[in-house]
Amino acid sequence: MKDFFHTRSFRALMGTVMALLAFMLYSAGVDGTLTASFFSLFSAPMERVSTVVVNNAATVGSSSAETGELEAQIRELQEENRKLREQMVDYYEMKQKNEQYESILGIKEQNEDFQMVSAAVISRDPAELFGGFTIDQGSLSGVHVNDPVITSDGVVGWVSKVEATTSYVTTILSPETKIGVISKEKRESGVIESDLLLADEGRVRMSYLPADTKLEEGDLITTTGLAGIYPKDLIVGQVKEIRVSDGGVTRYALIEPYVDVKDVRDVFVITDFYGKGEIREAQQATGE
């Protein structure tokens, strides 16, 4: 035991005690300022941590509340946007119908005997070289094969196939299409035909013109109504060029249709008109 008082451990312990005693006496003498500073050296970081934790907790609470409000506002705005989109769809649908009705009225004013069905183009075959397309009206709407298809700008084609609720339209660019046409100004008539090359240019040919034809570029071409498929006076297009046929005996005119059948979106099917089919039926009855 006696030896313990001479060890380094005892001397170190006594040094620590004396140092603490001296520190206490000095602290008492200087009003505890150094002690406060000493303890503040360690307490300040803890206070800052505490403050940050409290503030973060408050911020988190505040953010949660604000986030809830923002989420509610976002949901409300999304619902308003949904309703606005529906209203826009209704608006454009109504606008489209109004435009169609205006077109129908315009056509009906000039052709009171026309019975028409408005239709929208619902599909196109990219491989179809002559611009044929499917519309959203069929036999349930009174559409029949051979019914002419038009817009307010002019002839589009004719119905070549009918289902219950859809129909297929063969356009004026197809080689299957034959239309009797006339220039009212020059009183010259012919037949509208087409082929692959012309269809690629978006044009048709007015064939069987006399060698001394008086047709000129810009002349208006309309239907004659003589075949019983198309009513008369439907606008087809205008003359772009006069050419000589291969035999050199007759001439033909290149016609540019007023309707771009490869881009048309809305059409009218003429389901009935005065004289529909009468000439064709008469020709069939006489064997012509």
Side-chain angles (χ1 to χ4, degrees):
M1 184 71 177
K2 185 186 300 183
D3 295 335
F4 173 73
F5 293 102
H6 299 282
T7 63
R8 290 183 178 180
S9 298
F10 177 76
R11 287 196 294 269
L13 177 62
M14 289 303 296
T16 301
V17 169
M18 294 301 293
L20 287 175
L21 179 60
F23 175 75
M24 292 175 63
L25 291 174
Y26 178 78
S27 297
V30 296
D31 251 352
T33 303
L34 183 60
T35 303
S37 300
F38 178 80
F39 283 102
S40 69
L41 179 64
F42 294 96
S43 64
M46 296 304 298
E47 289 177 356
R48 285 197 296 272
V49 171
S50 176
T51 301
V52 170
V53 171
V54 172
N55 289 341
N56 285 344
T59 302
V60 169
S62 175
S63 298
S64 298
E66 291 178 358
T67 300
E69 292 178 2
L70 287 174
E71 289 177 349
Q73 292 177 3
I74 290 172
R75 286 193 296 269
E76 183 178 349
L77 289 173
Q78 288 175 337
E79 178 65 17
E80 290 180 3
N81 287 335
R82 184 188 66 80
K83 292 180 179 179
L84 286 174
R85 286 194 297 269
E86 291 179 353
Q87 292 175 2
M88 289 296 290
V89 171
D90 293 340
Y91 165 76
Y92 284 117
E93 183 176 355
M94 186 62 66
K95 182 175 181 290
Q96 177 183 352
K97 289 182 178 179
N98 286 339
E99 291 174 351
Q100 290 176 336
Y101 292 151
E102 289 176 1
S103 297
I104 288 177
L105 290 175
I107 298 172
K108 289 282 288 182
E109 286 177 359
Q110 299 177 3
N111 307 275
E112 295 181 357
D113 57 314
F114 284 10
Q115 299 296 320
M116 295 186 294
V117 174
S118 62
V121 177
I122 57 174
S123 68
R124 293 180 183 274
D125 182 0
E128 217 291 318
L129 301 175
F130 305 106
F133 53 82
T134 301
I135 58 175
D136 63 352
Q137 300 292 350
S139 59
L140 294 179
S141 300
V143 177
H144 299 86
V145 171
N146 289 329
D147 282 349
V149 179
I150 65 171
T151 71
S152 58
D153 294 324
V155 174
V156 174
W158 52 287
V159 176
S160 56
K161 184 179 180 180
V162 177
E163 304 291 346
T165 58
T166 62
S167 300
Y168 187 80
V169 177
T170 296
T171 74
I172 193 174
L173 299 180
S174 172
E176 299 179 43
T177 302
K178 301 288 189 291
I179 308 174
V181 295
I182 189 172
S183 166
K184 289 293 187 68
E185 181 182 0
K186 303 298 173 55
R187 296 182 180 276
E188 292 186 14
S189 60
V191 176
I192 288 296
E193 300 174 322
S194 189
D195 55 39
L196 184 58
L197 293 177
L198 288 173
D200 187 56
E201 298 175 359
R203 294 181 174 182
V204 295
R205 177 175 57 248
M206 181 178 176
S207 300
Y208 309 115
L209 297 175
D212 60 347
T213 179
K214 296 179 175 59
L215 286 183
E216 297 176 332
E217 181 179 351
D219 285 349
L220 181 67
I221 304 300
T222 61
T223 57
T224 62
L226 295 178
I229 295 180
Y230 293 88
K232 66 178 182 178
D233 296 335
L234 294 178
I235 297 174
V236 175
Q238 64 175 337
V239 176
K240 300 302 291 184
E241 186 180 347
I242 305 296
R243 293 183 179 179
V244 179
S245 62
D246 293 338
V249 178
T250 60
R251 296 191 177 189
Y252 65 90
L254 292 182
I255 309 297
E256 184 175 277
Y258 280 117
V259 180
D260 183 355
V261 300
K262 294 183 179 181
D263 189 53
V264 68
R265 297 181 181 180
D266 300 291
V267 297
F268 302 106
V269 181
I270 304 177
T271 57
D272 197 13
F273 58 92
Y274 180 74
K276 178 181 180 181
E278 291 182 359
I279 295 178
R280 167 169 288 194
E281 292 173 0
Q283 290 173 341
Q284 291 174 347
T286 60
E288 297 180 3

